[in-house]
Amino acid sequence: MEAATRLYYRYFPEKLLGEVLTKRWSDNLVPAFAVLLVVGFFLARDPGFFSLASLTETSRQLAEFSIIVMAMGIVLLAGGLDLSVGSVFALANITALICMNLLGWPVWATIAATLAVGALCGAVNGFLIGYLRIRAFLTTLVTLIIIRSIVDIILLRYAVAISAVFPDSDFWFFLGEGNVLGMPVSFLVAVAIVLTWHVVLTRARFGWHLSAVGGSRRSAFNAGLNVKRTVFLTYVWSGVLASASGLFFAARLGSAGSDTGVGLELAALTAAVLGGNSLGGGRGSVAKSVLGAIVVLILTDSMVRIGISGGISSAILGGILLLVVAIDVRWLKNRHKILNKVYVSPSYFKLPEMPETDAGSGTPYALNDRLREVSLIGKGQIEGPEVVIFDRHDNLYCPNRHGDIVRFLAPDYDEWEIFAHIGGHPLGMAFDRHDNLNVCVGGMGLYRIAPDRRVEKLTDETNRTFLSVIDDSRLKLADDLDIAPDGRIFFSEATIRYDMHDWAYDALESRGNGRLICYDPRDRSTRTVLRNLQFPNGVCMVGDGESFFFAETWGCRINRYWFAGAKKGTCETVVPNLPGYPDNINRASDGNFWVALVGMRSPALDLALRKPGLRKRMATRIARDEWLFPNINTGCVLKFAPDGEVLESLWDLGGVNHPMVTSMREHKGYLYLGGLYNDRIGRLKLKDADPDWTSQEFYWGAENGSR
Amino acid sequence: MNPAVEKPHDSDVATRRDKGFVITQELIVAVAAAVLFVLFSVALDNFLTPGNLVALVRNVAVLGLLSIGMAVVVIGRGVDLSLVAVMAVSLTVSIVLANKGYGFGEALVIGLGFVLVVALVLGFLVAYVEIPSIFATLAVASIVYGLGRGVIADLDVNNIPSDLDWFLFIGRGSVLGIPVSIWLFAFTALVLYLFLRRTGIGRFIYALGDNLETARITGIPVRPVIVLQYIISGLMAFLAGAVTAASVASMNMRIVNSTVIYDVLLVVVLGGIGLTGGRGGVRNVVVGTALIGLLLNAMTIMDISYTVQNLIKSAVLLLALIVDALLNPRDEQTAQQGDI
């Protein structure tokens, strides 16, 4: 039974589903499915629909329509709405016809004039909505009528004259009816426009500004974007695109009917929202618009073919609009709830029987009170000193949760100052050969602080895993590091699926979401060296120049990884079954290693780790405060030998003086303790330790003149 | 209760206290209407003829009824673009049924039932599904119109069966020398005035138009109140439809494609009911209706073509929207995402 559970959770792609849902392109799956459904339906009903002639004609219409829908999509993306596209389309049509048929202008001048007219209409909309901040819906509804009235007035005067003349231009006909490689010109131009806008929206600054403004207008403003101009420009582009579409229509049909573009805005809006562009902005893409355009075009075309009356078909279109808007509104409102339900994906994990920790048990883990006597540094003055480290002048450095590196001044550590500000939440720290302080910053990446306090980013991304769904190139939670003698920095990233404050989710999953990464300062490259680790945490060089220890917190074990030498690339478990969750590892003066256990295992949680279904229900049905959490309140410090033998443990049962231990650092006969949620640093006199030993000198040798 | 709700500041923004005399948008519009009336009487030959005045008054009554319906929704920070479609199609339902042999009273009741169903659906979509009112009403308008043309009636124009003098009296008769339609408008205006100003639910509409979230937190049943708004606007549309049908003895569904709905918006916005919600009242509708009714009538008399009329009306509406935006700037604190 348990084997079945294990196999199910190892191979069933439940995690994949959650990750797909976090992707923006997953919104496109529904409209893409709708395309297949509609196409399939009409293919079954009427195979003639997809004959080559019909397809050519359809693709011309699609070109015109999808440009309009894309225009609508762009405006929607920035949080607006443009109902005047249909009228602008009609105005562009009539403008092009007047230029070609009546004025006899060359084609390029016609194109320029038509696009200029569209841009002007868009600029009016944009000025009113962007700069005067009138509501988009009503404004464009009114400009719809105004432009439509102008079209009607022009039509009354020139319609007869236009239809009496045929323009004498091969290029004009080529534009309307020509083919290149068997494909209509307008279709190819539309493809080019679509691709360009795809690149603009996803890769260019302007496109990002659009998403930002549409996603949160106020935040965009606070971030320094010119919100008004951005909104203004969306309408200008919408006008230009609508007129481009009208231009093709004019070239194709050459007729100036009074019903040109009537109701187009409703169809375009339906298509845009059907494709997945959100009303209210922030979510939308060119692909969505095109998908929506295809569905709506096929639907309306088919309704005409089947012979549904105009009234009914507009009612059907209205019904579809209502439906898709309703889905959009509900989806936006509930998306994060659904995501919460499926994203967290616990897996099966079986820990060995927990070692005894009773006081009289005789194991090295036996409880004692050796940490009770710690004296405190900086009590109440520091928040979240996850680790502590010393420079060559005995000054003490620790991070805080505000993103600062705090320096306590030797020898008494009463005075402190902010050494440097980075941001994020700095975690692991290590000095390199030249006394630069290298810091892993949760949420930001790997940073270096020079002795002159200059902060420099070393890396915040690594190579992306092939076929990964979520983007794992960005560093989410760089945790601890150590530096090889050749200068390479090996650091752990605890999880690629969650941000730092969501570490509890990762514990709940107990899946190998973390990895080890190597930063090479020689060519400034970053490369992932080992994946699928259970919350890799502390990293510490063994000292042989070719391997290091690292702790897997939720895996309750310590491993050794060889990055050079004969065993290069292999990883062995050194301490397999700890009674708690290991955090940072550091060198001890006697050649052994210290490791902090941030919390102790409990039988209930160990059992729950073998019941992924239980944890899944827990994650989705009850509040986070009610979960079974890994205990991170009571822990201890262990000392282990390089071969993995655990030698001794230091406990503080009450946790009164120093509640949480996430790290420890031995320095000149004292052991200094850090804790992620503590407001103090602990200091304990070690009886048998070498009073002159410092980790920095031991590892890098005596001062080497860089300072 | 929130002081802003206790004393609706329908005039605060446009107010300038000057020697105890308050100038409001409402007052400006009223004066403008009076001036225009005098001006047209002098300048236009056919203006003061009895025939024109009757036509003017009838149109004003219909426009006014629709505008009251729109006003109730706009005060609650919505917009009802389905008014004209509901007006035309509901009366068409009644007329078609009457022509099929139903008693006309019975047919009217069924038409009213149709209105209620549409209003409930609309209210549900806006209040419970939370579709922005502007989309919901636009889509419902096109559905209702499509039903009307595709399912309910074969023809766009449907004539009322003969010998229904009691019904035509609504549109054509007069009491004490004043047309019945005006009495009807006056009565409705009074009822809605009392409803909005004097009843708890009326105050709730202002409260949720002012700030929906606050109203919700205060404990006002915002969703049912929103549904009620659409029921009221539907009833107004039905009344307006009855007056229209009674005055010309038929109902023409093509009116949906005309720009009447924008005239209604124009009345509401020009009258001084801010689109941001929570302000204005029936008085604003009355003066707005007077002004717009006069303008429309004058343009018709001056023989301005339909398309040019549309151009002028929509330009004025745009101007009104700009002024509204400048006088009642949108409050970014309470403006909602997707409130476009």
Side-chain angles (χ1 to χ4, degrees), chain B residues 103-106 108 163-173 180 246:
Chain B
F104 197 68
E106 209 177 333
L108 278 181
D163 67 82
L164 278 175
D165 289 342
W166 64 270
F167 181 66
L168 298 185
F169 182 72
I170 299 175
R172 297 175 178 176
V180 173

Side-chain angles (χ1 to χ4, degrees), chain B residues 132-181:
Chain B
S133 63
I134 217 150
F135 285 96
T137 55
L138 190 69
V140 164
S142 96
I143 294 175
V144 166
Y145 179 56
L147 282 180
R149 291 194 53 193
V151 179
I152 293 165
D154 301 327
L155 300 169
D156 283 348
V157 185
N158 293 279
N159 292 314
I160 292 180
S162 47
D163 67 82
L164 278 175
D165 289 342
W166 64 270
F167 181 66
L168 298 185
F169 182 72
I170 299 175
R172 297 175 178 176
S174 46
V175 173
L176 301 175
I178 297 175
V180 173
S181 54

Side-chain angles (χ1 to χ4, degrees), chain A residues 79-81 128 132-139 141-143 145-146 149-150 152-153 156 214-215 217-218 266 269 279-281 309 311-312 314-315 318-319 321-322 325-326 329-330 333, chain B residues 81 125 128-132 134-136 138-140 142-143 146-147 149-151 223 259 262 265 275 307-308 310-311 314-315 317-318 321-322 325-326 329-330 332-333 337-340:
Chain A
L81 183 70
L128 294 173
L132 293 185
R133 296 200 307 161
I134 313 182
R135 309 218 291 184
F137 195 105
L138 289 169
T139 309
L141 206 59
V142 175
T143 50
I145 309 171
I146 293 182
S149 307
I150 293 172
D152 285 343
I153 291 168
L156 277 178
R217 209 186 146 101
R218 207 179 308 164
L266 210 59
L269 184 63
L279 295 173
S309 77
I312 296 283
S314 79
L321 177 61
L322 264 190
V325 171
V329 169
R330 302 315 295 181
K333 193 170 178 186
Chain B
L81 300 178
L125 290 173
Y128 291 88
V129 186
E130 296 173 8
I131 299 178
I134 217 150
F135 285 96
L138 190 69
V140 164
S142 96
I143 294 175
L147 282 180
R149 291 194 53 193
V151 179
R223 286 177 161 170
T259 52
Y262 305 111
L265 267 180
L275 287 168
T307 48
V308 176
N310 280 348
L311 191 62
S314 43
L317 179 52
L318 194 59
L321 284 175
I322 294 173
L326 294 178
R330 292 178 68 188
E332 293 283 343
Q333 294 302 322
Q337 187 80 0
D339 183 17
I340 49 183

